[in-house]
Amino acid sequence: MKNPKALWQRPVFRIGIAVVFLIILGGAAGGIYFTQLPPEQPIQFPHNVHVGLGAQCLYCHPGAVSGPVAGLPSQSKCWGCHQQIKKQSPELEKLAGFVSRREPIPWVPVAIQPDFVHFNHAPHIAAGLNCESCHGNLAAMTVAEPQKGQNMGWCLNCHQKMAPENFTRLSDCSICHY
Amino acid sequence: MANTENTGKWGMVIDTDRCTGCMACVTACAMENNIPWTGEEEAGYGRGMHWIRVQRLWHGEYPEVKPEFTPTMCQQCGHAPCEPVCPVFATVHSEAEQINLQVYNRCVGTRYCGNNCPYTARTFNFFDHEFPTPMDFYLNPDVTVRRRGVMEKCTFCVQRIHKGQEKARAEGRPVKDGEIVPACAQACPADAIVFGDMSDSESQVSHIARSERRYQLLPELGTEPRVTYLKGGGYYGG
């Protein structure tokens, strides 16, 4: 028996198209969503507690003042204080485990740029920028959260606003891309 | 912040009389800039990858044959033929450093720039070349590892230029002459390659570039190369 309707008018065909479209849309939305989530860290490090107690960012991330990479603290840096201070908590038991096993803590970097972008912390700190102007208010976070919109337009906006007299140099492609 | 830096018109002088053709510059460049090795077969197809090569020419009749070695890299032209032909502005002129830049993330791989380069200084990544396991530990973190479909070329070791400028700015002084050295000049055992600031008339590279032995590659094209060569009256082979 011949179906009187054309192919594109059949409900099965239309539902199929809709399902495929929704799967693609859902995949895209999920992909974008998951890049905005803070990644799973080996220890749920409470930034808010440490910042609230007055610890300086540069104490644990000292590379920011002298070089391109801020660095993530080693277990000896954490253990230097936590040998004495507040040993009993489930998160600090994880730390004690890393120390007793002599393993490095596999921190997951959060604020990352692609390979073709060469960001250098030192000149930004030297220019008087605060950590929170790019990394968000860490006093309100436990583990570090990725910040939205850290793209090239964001970099250039700031370069244009903060240092218009150096904009020729600071808008040069080679300043980040080489 | 005071503008203490030297804005710089970087230049290079290569003394072909001193060059012995030892290829140390080629090796140093490959290590510094994460240049993959393509192997014999790909090189045979014209897909070898070097940012600097040593051109060898023979002079004279048989018993009196003398070689002439000319290390050739991107000449960082003032009027670069590669720049206006790029459809996506992936190769642009740096106003601050006065060199030619290749922006890898913009490049779509038309290879127009490479075909328009009179010095054939540009190389193209025809494949994602693999760095076999012990060698990937040697990759320079200051330089992008380029992927397939991207044109690349000598950058005058712009990562070292920036590092030197950052260091000088952090110490609040202008960049010293001879402080910034690209990998090829650093590796050259004969000191045939000298790098420096051409806008400073007192720098070593400016002094040498004013030599009467100076010549440039393909000057008739009017590309204003930043690399000067010296030849004649020399030490070896001249």
Side-chain angles (χ1 to χ4, degrees), chain A residues 31-72:
Chain A
I32 292 167
Y33 175 71
F34 282 118
T35 57
Q36 306 299 318
L37 287 181
E40 192 81 10
Q41 297 286 359
I43 296 172
Q44 290 292 310
F45 179 82
H47 276 95
N48 49 359
V49 174
H50 291 78
V51 175
L53 287 170
Q56 295 296 311
C57 305
L58 287 173
Y59 183 72
C60 296
H61 307 287
V65 83
S66 58
V69 185
L72 297 167

Side-chain angles (χ1 to χ4, degrees), chain B residues 11 13-14 26 55 78 88-89 91 108 126 144 158 181 201 225-226 234:
Chain B
V13 177
I14 299 176
V26 178
Q55 299 185 150
V88 293
F89 301 100
T91 174
V108 295
F126 280 92
T144 311
V158 71
V181 183
S201 61
R226 297 268 186 265

Side-chain angles (χ1 to χ4, degrees), chain B residues 50-216:
Chain B
H50 294 294
W51 287 9
I52 179 171
R53 63 181 192 274
V54 179
Q55 299 185 150
R56 188 188 59 195
L57 303 168
W58 294 104
H59 288 290
E61 290 294 314
Y62 163 58
E64 293 293 308
V65 178
K66 287 174 175 175
E68 183 201 319
F69 299 107
T70 310
T72 311
M73 76 288 279
C74 173
Q75 308 284 307
Q76 312 288 353
C77 308
H79 284 155
C82 53
E83 283 167 7
V85 297
C86 181
V88 293
F89 301 100
T91 174
V92 288
H93 207 71
S94 164
E95 280 180 53
E97 314 297 344
Q98 292 294 313
I99 55 175
N100 303 100
L101 307 174
Q102 177 70 21
V103 186
Y104 305 124
N105 45 322
R106 270 187 193 167
C107 180
V108 295
T110 64
R111 285 181 277 149
Y112 204 162
C113 54
N115 292 331
N116 216 27
C117 176
Y119 307 102
T120 56
R122 290 171 163 266
T123 53
F124 187 69
N125 285 276
F126 280 92
F127 302 99
D128 271 327
H129 293 289
E130 199 183 325
F131 290 90
T133 293
M135 296 309 287
D136 55 2
F137 298 137
Y138 290 88
L139 289 176
N140 185 354
D142 292 338
V143 180
T144 311
V145 178
R146 281 82 51 186
R147 53 174 296 178
R148 188 182 63 176
V150 170
M151 193 56 99
E152 60 184 58
K153 67 166 190 78
C154 165
T155 60
F156 265 4
C157 282
V158 71
Q159 70 278 7
R160 294 190 177 205
I161 293 177
H162 283 309
K163 202 174 259 187
Q165 285 175 339
E166 288 301 336
K167 188 162 174 277
R169 203 177 301 123
E171 293 169 11
R173 58 175 173 81
V175 178
K176 276 184 278 188
D177 184 30
E179 189 182 5
I180 297 169
V181 183
C184 53
Q186 188 183 7
C188 183
D191 285 337
I193 304 177
V194 178
F195 182 80
D197 185 359
M198 292 290 243
S199 62
D200 174 11
S201 61
E202 291 307 304
S203 67
Q204 191 198 3
V205 70
S206 309
H207 270 293
I208 303 175
R210 286 195 290 268
S211 161
E212 59 187 14
R213 298 188 290 138
R214 77 193 297 273
Y215 73 102
Q216 287 180 321

Side-chain angles (χ1 to χ4, degrees), chain A:
Chain A
M1 187 181 78
K2 195 176 177 302
N3 197 323
K5 281 182 181 170
L7 176 70
W8 60 273
Q9 282 178 323
R10 286 180 212 165
V12 175
F13 179 78
R14 291 188 167 184
I15 290 167
I17 290 287
V19 166
V20 168
F21 178 73
L22 282 175
I23 287 171
I24 291 170
L25 190 74
I32 292 167
Y33 175 71
F34 282 118
T35 57
Q36 306 299 318
L37 287 181
E40 192 81 10
Q41 297 286 359
I43 296 172
Q44 290 292 310
F45 179 82
H47 276 95
N48 49 359
V49 174
H50 291 78
V51 175
L53 287 170
Q56 295 296 311
C57 305
L58 287 173
Y59 183 72
C60 296
H61 307 287
V65 83
S66 58
V69 185
L72 297 167
S74 61
Q75 36 133 305
S76 61
K77 177 125 331 178
C78 305
W79 201 236
C81 292
H82 280 290
Q83 232 172 347
Q84 275 92 33
I85 307 165
K86 192 167 181 290
K87 288 182 220 170
Q88 289 80 31
S89 93
E91 295 303 320
L92 280 167
E93 267 154 35
K94 284 189 206 165
L95 172 65
F98 283 119
V99 172
S100 63
R101 291 195 301 277
R102 293 173 166 275
E103 277 176 19
I105 307 171
W107 297 116
V108 183
V110 174
I112 45 171
Q113 290 292 339
D115 188 31
F116 50 80
V117 181
H118 294 273
F119 176 79
N120 192 344
H121 273 96
H124 293 87
I125 300 287
L129 273 180
N130 291 323
C131 302
E132 58 261 33
S133 36
C134 301
H135 293 286
N137 184 12
L138 266 301
M141 297 179 203
T142 53
V143 290
E145 292 165 16
Q147 299 298 304
K148 286 199 183 82
Q150 287 192 334
N151 51 31
M152 198 169 107
W154 174 76
C155 294
L156 281 173
N157 256 342
C158 197
H159 280 182
Q160 199 167 15
K161 250 184 273 169
M162 305 288 261
E165 71 278 8
N166 287 337
F167 191 57
T168 312
R169 178 170 61 82
L170 292 176
S171 63
D172 201 271
C173 301
S174 80
I175 206 84
C176 301
H177 300 294
Y178 46 81

